[in-house]
Amino acid sequence: MSEPYRVPLHLKLSRPFTKSVFRLIFHVLANVKVLGRENIPYGKPYVVAMNHVSIFDPPLVGAFWPEPLEIIGAADVFDKPGQGQVLKLYGVIPVHRGDYDRALLLKIVHIIKSGLPLLIAPEGGRSHTPAMRRAKSGVAYIIEQTHVPVMPVGLVGTTEDFWQRAKRRERPTLEMRIGKPITLPEIASKGNERHEARQQNADLVMRHLAGLLPEAYRGVYAESAILPS
């Protein structure tokens, strides 16, 4: 992978359309608020780490993020009618949850090192409730390999009842709260200590993320949330 990763031309052409359609849909169904745009390091590679409550989270971030994002998503969703077609249209990268996929990790690292920002859910899947679960260590491994900052993004309102409320024309409020970039500590240890250090770094990301969220959303990080300075 010596050559920089290039977004395929057909995706460069289809993504602006996809983003515009989803922005319109969300604006019709909800009151969308995006806070903290000034924290984004435009034009540079970084990892966007979001809490993941429901299927509405990735399209919300992808639609309203000011720059194009590479996105990874659960492989099983690609087989679902409608959802799968949308993921393919945008060019979401499939990941098999719970499996160690070295080729996928190498691809993700290659994408970031090529200068592109990436969206990831450190919890490894939807929590189905507002309260966050403990992060997987994958986000820390990616940062360890790429040395880019992490952008914590707290999503509020994307609960699984959002669609029912939207159909009742309640226009619920959806918030995307963008925190300041985080630089994770370097890891020099080996073996089990290295795995523990990665988990600590993943938890550090989530503690910053928890600080952007209401208390009901903080879950296992309720007692250790780091509030924005």
Side-chain angles (χ1 to χ4, degrees):
M1 293 186 178
S2 57
E3 291 294 320
Y5 175 83
R6 306 289 185 187
V7 178
L9 179 60
H10 70 281
L11 294 181
K12 287 185 177 180
L13 296 175
S14 65
R15 282 181 179 177
F17 171 76
T18 307
K19 287 168 64 75
S20 296
V21 168
F22 272 92
R23 276 199 300 269
L24 176 61
I25 292 172
F26 277 118
H27 276 310
V28 170
L29 297 178
N31 175 29
V32 180
K33 297 181 179 180
V34 180
L35 309 172
R37 286 192 185 93
E38 67 278 4
N39 293 325
I40 299 173
Y42 292 96
K44 298 179 181 179
Y46 50 84
V47 170
V48 178
M50 68 173 186
N51 59 309
H52 196 4
V53 178
S54 72
I55 61 171
F56 306 110
D57 302 321
L60 178 67
V61 178
F64 288 93
W65 199 262
E67 294 187 300
L69 290 172
E70 299 305 306
I71 301 175
I72 62 174
D76 57 343
V77 181
F78 281 72
D79 297 326
K80 296 182 179 180
Q83 295 181 43
Q85 283 80 357
V86 171
L87 297 183
K88 294 171 185 175
L89 183 64
Y90 186 88
V92 173
I93 302 165
V95 56
H96 295 275
R97 287 182 292 204
D99 295 337
Y100 174 74
D101 190 336
R102 186 172 185 273
L104 174 66
L105 287 173
L106 289 174
K107 181 176 182 178
I108 290 172
V109 169
H110 183 55
I111 287 171
I112 297 171
K113 285 187 174 181
S114 298
L116 302 174
L118 177 89
L119 173 65
I120 189 172
E123 293 165 276
R126 287 173 280 167
S127 61
H128 299 284
T129 63
M132 287 195 300
R133 302 177 300 185
R134 194 175 191 194
K136 307 292 186 182
S137 62
V139 63
Y141 173 83
I142 292 169
I143 301 305
E144 182 183 340
Q145 298 298 313
T146 58
H147 307 285
V148 297
V150 182
M151 300 296 301
V153 174
L155 302 177
V156 181
T158 56
T159 49
E160 298 209 326
D161 65 344
F162 165 72
W163 177 241
Q164 298 302 323
R165 297 172 62 198
K167 287 197 298 184
R168 294 196 296 266
R169 299 182 181 180
E170 295 180 14
R171 294 197 78 242
T173 296
L174 302 180
E175 290 190 10
M176 184 165 75
R177 303 176 179 181
I178 305 170
K180 294 179 180 179
I182 306 166
T183 300
L184 297 183
E186 293 284 342
I187 297 176
S189 54
K190 304 292 183 181
N192 289 335
E193 290 184 1
R194 191 179 194 86
H195 290 297
E196 291 175 5
R198 284 176 182 162
Q199 184 61 55
Q200 289 175 4
N201 273 356
D203 289 334
L204 180 60
V205 171
M206 300 301 276
R207 291 171 61 201
H208 280 277
L209 213 167
L212 299 171
L213 294 167
E215 289 187 10
Y217 279 71
R218 294 174 182 172
V220 298
Y221 298 97
E223 301 299 323
S224 59
I226 299 175
L227 301 178
S229 57

